[in-house]
């Protein structure tokens, strides 16, 4: 029963990763505006540490966000290069957030990487991956053995 529940939970995480990946594909053509984040204060995170809250100004000065959260880290001066995506399915305006350079760069492929890793874990956990083998550079299904038949071994 525990194995079934664990497998179901992992399968749900796989579905969430795929949904996040699809959202990233839908938002790929939405504008991303770059600017500078200035740290003003911290808000404690539930698991320790703090989230930087501050002011973000676009490079051209057209957009200024006050009391916005940074998804990333500031440098020793309290500054960070950050992006803002005002439109799209998963837009930053609704979430009141800007993203550091690392977060912006991994946002597109990270859900897909997570989905591939989880799918591999599920394949191993369920034994599905053991049903196939490589023959002549091709993946083929292993032949089924009859119940009660002991395979012959060479001496």
């Amino acid at each position: 029963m525990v194995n079934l529940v664990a497998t179901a939970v992992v399968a749900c995480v796989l579905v969430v990763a795929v949904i996040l990946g699809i959202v990233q594909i839908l938002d790929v053509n939405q504008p991303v505006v770059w600017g500078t984040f200035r740290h003003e204060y911290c808000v404690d995170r539930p698991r320790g540490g703090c989230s930087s809250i501050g002011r973000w100004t676009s490079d051209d000065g057209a957009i200024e966000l006050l009391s916005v959260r940074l998804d990333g880290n500031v440098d020793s001066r309290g500054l960070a290069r950050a992006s803002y995506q005002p439109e799209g399915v998963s837009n930053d305006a609704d979430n009141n957030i800007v993203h550091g350079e690392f977060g912006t760069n991994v946002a597109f492929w990270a859900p897909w990487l997570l989905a591939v890793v989880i799918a591999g874990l599920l394949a191993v956990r369920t034994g599905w991956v053991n049903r196939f083998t490589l023959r002549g550079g091709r993946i083929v299904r292993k032949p089924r053995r009859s119940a009660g038949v002991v395979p012959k071994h060479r001496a």
Side-chain angles (χ1 to χ4, degrees):
M1 182 66 176
V2 172
N3 285 336
L4 181 62
V5 171
T7 302
V9 168
V10 172
C12 288
V13 173
L14 173 63
V15 169
V16 169
V18 169
I19 290 170
L20 289 173
I22 291 169
V23 166
Q24 290 299 324
I25 289 172
L26 293 173
D27 285 350
V28 75
N29 291 323
Q30 296 300 324
V32 175
V33 182
W34 285 93
T36 303
F37 175 85
R38 297 181 194 291
H39 173 84
E40 293 176 350
Y41 62 94
C42 272
V43 173
D44 290 335
R45 292 181 183 164
R47 295 184 184 158
C50 75
S51 290
S52 289
I53 307 295
R55 176 185 306 247
W56 179 85
T57 307
S58 63
D59 289 341
D60 63 2
I63 304 172
E64 185 172 52
L65 305 174
L66 306 175
S67 297
V68 67
R69 184 170 64 92
L70 173 67
D71 181 15
N73 298 313
V74 294
D75 62 15
S76 60
R77 300 170 296 158
L79 302 174
R81 183 97 174 116
S83 71
Y84 174 68
Q85 189 171 10
E87 300 172 15
V89 177
S90 177
N91 66 68
D92 298 333
D94 291 343
N95 300 319
N96 195 35
I97 192 170
V98 293
H99 304 280
E101 288 180 292
F102 180 77
T104 301
N105 294 331
V106 302
F108 184 77
W109 57 265
W112 295 111
L113 178 63
L114 179 64
V116 167
V117 169
I118 292 173
L121 291 172
L122 277 174
V124 170
R125 181 168 185 77
T126 60
W128 183 82
V129 76
N130 293 328
R131 296 179 189 158
F132 299 91
T133 187
L134 281 175
R135 284 206 189 119
R138 293 180 36 201
I139 299 174
V140 295
R141 189 175 183 94
K142 287 182 180 177
R144 293 186 179 208
R145 293 190 179 139
S146 306
V149 176
V150 178
K152 294 181 181 179
H153 296 287
R154 293 184 182 181

